[in-house]
Amino acid sequence: MKFKKESLTYLKDLKENNNRDWFAEYKEEFTEAQGNAKELYASIREKLEEHDEIEKFKLFRIYRDVRFSKDKTPYKPHFAGSFSRKGAHLRGGYYLRIRPGESFLAGGFWEPNKEDLFRIRKEFELDDSEIRDILSEQKFTKYFGGKLEGDELKTAPKGFDKEHPTIDLIRKKAFIAIRNFSDEEVLCNNFLEEVNNSYLALRPYFDFMSDVLTTNLNGESIL
């Protein structure tokens, strides 16, 4: 299963003609491109379920909510979908966006609630050796540059030492691994395989974070 050149071309054309009249005129092309995307995401889920437990998948609508946005263009010139891991014992999620010139996949914890965020920070404050080892693993470095991305505070969060040696992780508000793709990579026959290999490389990270978020600082289960 691959993403077709015609589907990527449609997204490029939509970006240049982001209005309702053009969208209506080329509705058939949208339907074909969306069908191609659905097939690709379904194949990705099949691959994921060979090595992880997925609870649900969501393909995001192409229609933009413009009510509170300065950008009033009505459509998103991309396809995007997320996969949630199953159950309280498996934490984190996978994401993939296909957008001409700006495609990427991601995995991790985008907006953890305040309790999870505090627990993660306390774990890093107590001992950062395991997360550092995971980030420096060969595959994590190959696919994700050996780093976590996401919004972060300019200084230490309340109750944490701004001089702590792990402050680079403690001040984060999200913990996301990101891999970018060129248009040529998206259209390659091995794109599905590359996406799956990237998600596989996240498993040590997910396993660690799942353990952190289902135990207290003494390592006792909270489930």
Side-chain angles (χ1 to χ4, degrees):
M1 180 62 221
K2 64 175 293 185
F3 196 70
K4 298 177 181 178
K5 184 176 181 180
E6 293 84 359
S7 300
L8 197 66
T9 297
Y10 171 81
L11 293 175
K12 291 178 180 178
D13 292 342
L14 176 60
K15 185 176 182 180
E16 296 174 0
N17 303 275
N18 201 327
N19 62 77
R20 290 178 175 83
D21 289 341
W22 186 92
F23 187 82
E25 183 179 352
Y26 291 90
K27 189 64 177 288
E28 183 177 342
E29 286 80 359
F30 164 68
T31 301
E32 292 178 359
Q34 184 186 53
N36 181 206
K38 287 181 177 179
E39 291 178 352
L40 175 65
Y41 282 97
S43 296
I44 292 171
R45 179 169 186 167
E46 288 180 7
K47 288 288 187 181
L48 271 172
E49 290 179 337
E50 292 177 3
H51 55 82
D52 204 349
E53 297 179 59
I54 302 301
E55 186 168 57
K56 62 181 180 179
F57 161 70
K58 179 179 180 180
L59 183 67
F60 295 96
R61 287 164 53 86
I62 202 166
Y63 308 97
R64 295 185 62 252
D65 183 352
V66 301
R67 292 174 298 171
F68 309 106
S69 174
K70 292 182 180 180
D71 181 0
K72 298 302 181 181
T73 53
Y75 308 107
K76 308 169 191 172
H78 63 251
F79 293 113
S82 65
F83 307 85
S84 300
R85 303 181 79 213
K86 187 175 182 179
H89 61 294
L90 295 178
R91 307 298 294 272
Y94 305 94
Y95 178 84
L96 173 66
R97 185 183 81 176
I98 299 177
R99 179 177 179 135
E102 302 175 61
S103 298
F104 71 92
L105 64 73
F109 303 81
W110 182 248
E111 292 181 338
N113 62 44
K114 63 179 182 179
E115 293 81 12
D116 284 352
L117 183 57
F118 181 76
R119 176 66 182 90
I120 293 168
R121 286 170 169 168
K122 291 300 291 185
E123 182 71 24
F124 293 162
E125 179 187 49
L126 180 67
D127 181 8
D128 68 333
S129 60
E130 191 166 354
I131 186 63
R132 300 290 187 191
D133 287 344
I134 290 170
L135 297 182
S136 64
E137 285 184 350
Q138 182 180 3
K139 288 185 178 180
F140 198 95
T141 300
K142 174 183 177 180
Y143 293 119
F144 304 109
K147 62 181 179 179
L148 295 175
E149 302 187 39
D151 292 341
E152 56 185 51
L153 300 171
K154 293 182 179 180
T155 186
K158 185 177 180 180
F160 291 86
D161 182 4
K162 66 180 181 180
E163 302 299 330
H164 193 281
T166 317
I167 195 60
D168 61 313
L169 294 175
I170 292 172
R171 69 186 182 193
K172 286 186 174 298
K173 297 190 290 182
F175 307 87
I176 306 295
I178 295 175
R179 179 184 179 185
N180 296 303
F181 291 97
S182 67
D183 291 350
E184 291 74 18
E185 289 173 319
V186 170
L187 297 177
C188 275
N189 291 330
N190 69 342
F191 179 60
L192 174 60
E193 181 180 355
E194 285 297 304
V195 169
N196 188 56
N197 287 340
S198 301
Y199 288 156
L200 270 170
L202 285 172
R203 282 306 299 279
Y205 172 57
F206 276 155
D207 290 345
F208 167 72
M209 293 289 270
S210 294
D211 183 58
V212 168
L213 293 172
T214 57
T215 61
N216 60 28
L217 286 171
N218 293 321
E220 301 163 332
S221 175
I222 59 174
L223 295 180

